Amino acid sequence: MAVDYTVIVVYLVGMLAMGWWGMRRARSKSEFLVAGRRLGPAMYSGTMAAIVLGGASTIGGVGLGYQYGLSGAWMVFTIGLGLLALSVFFSARIARLKVYTVSEMLDLRYGGRAGMISGLVMWAYTLMLAVTSTIAYATIFDVLFDMNRTVAIVLGGTIVVAYSTLGGMWSITLTDMVQFVVKTIGVLLLLLPIAVVKAGGFSEMKAQLPTSYFDPLGIGGETIFTYVLIYTFGMLIGQDIWQRVFTARGDRTAKWGGTVAGTYCLVYALAGAVIGTAAKVMYPKLGSPDDAFATIVKDELPIGIRGLVLAAALAAVMSTSSGALIACATVANNDIWSRLRGIVRRGEEGHDEVKGNRVFILIMGVGVIGTAIALNNVVEALTVAYNLLVAGLLVPILGGLLWKRGTVQGALASVVVGGLAVIGLMASYGILANEPVYYGLLASLAVYVVVSLLTKPTDETVLATWRERLAGRGAPVADEPATVGA
């Protein structure tokens, strides 16, 4: 295992080095939070794919393949569909707004007063996303070093918090690009073909497994619909995803770079399902489907390659964790703390803004690590986060982008009713039930439409400013050094 350990250690040291390098570039709020809004297509595509394909997509995706066969790809597939929809239909307009958070967009569209409540919902979502990603370190380090769960969470979390705090989005962008390359090599180019060969090829897999394992809809229509509702729509409105859109240097980069990343996700989804299906042939009686990834890596891969593939899993977890962490800190500072203190934003401030956001990343990072240690049920925590996000924020965000008649009263009512409805329904039906997000979303939509129609239309001055920003005019002017990643 010495060679595998060396590969992992070199990888982790490299992540910290990139954080240090990023610190030297992050000298303004724009640089620290959105990488100066100047990523070109190559870096934008790689980093966007890295953040959406985390531990759940890698370890969980293989586990679903182990349990359901090829239809286990649907969870990650719907993530890719969401990213494609965001990139094709909305990303250009989002990038032109030149804001930092989803709540700022809501304030801009509705004329203020929507940001605090929506910020609280978004903060809860990004916090739980960061927590669940951080817990995944325990699984990986257990395979690597037979490490205690708490020590593993602290080790992995500390590394992510360190490089994120040092350089903000610049550090995260650089590390995510490396993580994208490592994941591509480790999972797609190495683990996928090796797993298929070790299982005896597709003909042997078909001979050994039930036909349901090769049914594209074998996982069930209701499950697929729920995945679409939670993950596809979740991709459209999550702060962690929008904050990456804000890093694009222009409309075309956001649209086409995101399209490439979304297509990559579809390929990654199928790869994970095939690897899981192959693992089912080799290890038909594993205790848990989520053990499939670690087992096949540990038992079937040669020395050195094993270390690289485990580094790929670690990369998947770190990319999602760091993206969720900076999103959580950005929302906490810009949408909650600044509003509570009555601070008026001045656009692109310099070192004080960087210092403040750096402090919030550190504070949120410590909180995430502590929560991850205390939390046991990861699936329930992530389900609560996505249900709140979709039921509370999907309607006012998409309504603001698509429906001129939507009002701030309708948006606020939609957030409150949708959020409270999904909480109450989870208490009634159970956290993992499908009904809470279905009915919560319907309640949010109904209230948004009815209240908007019953209240005074949004002031034309507010809408005029909104249209100017959507057209890329009238926005704050950011630092514009040379473009990166062209």
Side-chain angles (χ1 to χ4, degrees), residues 38-57:
R38 53 196 172 91
L39 296 189
M43 290 192 74
Y44 180 84
S45 297
T47 57
M48 182 62 88
I51 188 176
V52 300
L53 296 174
S57 299

Side-chain angles (χ1 to χ4, degrees), residues 11 34 44 54 140 152 155 172 180 183 201 219 224 242 245 280 287-288 373 392 419 423 426 455 457 483 486:
Y11 169 77
V34 290
Y44 180 84
I140 298 170
L155 176 60
I172 293 171
F180 169 74
K183 279 192 286 192
I219 199 170
I224 295 171
W242 276 42
V245 175
K280 183 66 175 180
S288 168
I373 292 171
I423 291 172
M426 283 190 291
T455 52
T483 299

Side-chain angles (χ1 to χ4, degrees), residues 135-147:
I135 290 173
Y137 297 130
T139 301
I140 298 170
F141 282 114
D142 178 57
V143 174
L144 284 170
F145 308 116
D146 193 23
M147 188 178 289

